[in-house]
Amino acid sequence: MFPYEVRKNVFDPELLQAVISDRPARSEDWQHFNNGPLEGGKWAKADNLPASAMKLAGQMAELGKVWGQELFGADDLIGSVYGGGYHSIEPGGVLGIHTDFNRAGGKYRRANMLCYLNKNWADEGGCLELHDDDGLVAEIVPELGTVALMESSDRAWHGHPKPAKRWRHSFAIYLFSDSPQEGATTMDKSTVFRDA
């Protein structure tokens, strides 16, 4: 199994409330994903973020460096909202089990970090699933204030394949370094869905 960490109530609740309140309305400046049964109903915004979101991103990057060092020995991690920022999944939307692209801007993607922004989550769907080669290993409820960090690699299978009945909101950053983890491919790789 790949390294991961999940903790609750890591960030100031007032900051998280500001990030929620300041979330821009969905419009043409949000990226919309609707790639059939494996990825659909996802909206993402990573540029022109409000000050509260940038403050959260900075705090996540600092914490991600500490957790990355503890979990998999990375000592040169740089946090970025590239590909991250606000993520909103429509009711019925899913993200199939997948591994992520491995490079951007000449650097290697080493970890994903998510902070969930959903109050009173009581939906049976929408949980983040972490898988190894044999199947489900962990299921993370996307409740407000829950933070998850996972190593990004060729074996870091994850997604939320069970649709929720409500909107699912999170804020994401990715952590990059100048070198890949030991044994990882150094060739550019895009997102790979397990059931594709």
Side-chain angles (χ1 to χ4, degrees), residues 48-190:
N48 298 318
L49 297 175
S52 59
M54 292 307 297
K55 182 176 181 179
L56 178 61
Q59 291 183 9
M60 290 173 71
E62 289 304 311
L63 183 60
K65 290 177 189 179
V66 174
W67 287 4
Q69 174 68 37
E70 293 172 356
L71 288 172
F72 45 88
D75 58 5
D76 63 343
L77 295 177
I78 300 166
S80 173
V81 293
Y82 177 85
Y86 286 102
H87 287 178
S88 293
I89 313 296
E90 299 172 2
V94 296
L95 181 57
I97 301 301
H98 66 285
T99 59
D100 292 311
F101 69 86
N102 68 334
R103 295 189 67 183
K107 298 199 179 293
Y108 293 90
R109 182 171 174 176
R110 298 291 304 275
N112 303 343
M113 191 170 199
L114 306 166
C115 180
Y116 290 104
L117 304 174
N118 308 290
K119 296 178 181 177
N120 305 314
W121 190 268
D123 200 298
E124 293 181 6
C127 292
L128 174 64
E129 295 185 9
L130 306 182
H131 288 232
D132 64 12
D133 291 337
D134 296 321
L136 180 66
V137 171
E139 194 170 59
I140 300 159
V141 176
E143 180 66 39
L144 176 65
T146 299
V147 178
L149 180 136
M150 72 193 91
E151 183 181 46
S152 183
S153 70
D154 298 344
R155 60 192 183 103
W157 296 99
H158 63 283
H160 52 92
K162 296 173 187 161
K165 295 176 181 159
R166 58 177 279 189
W167 280 91
R168 178 187 185 275
H169 302 289
S170 60
F171 191 87
I173 69 162
Y174 302 118
L175 294 138
F176 294 87
S177 72
D178 290 327
S179 57
Q181 58 268 50
E182 187 175 338
T185 181
T186 56
M187 299 185 63
D188 286 357
K189 178 187 79 71
S190 62

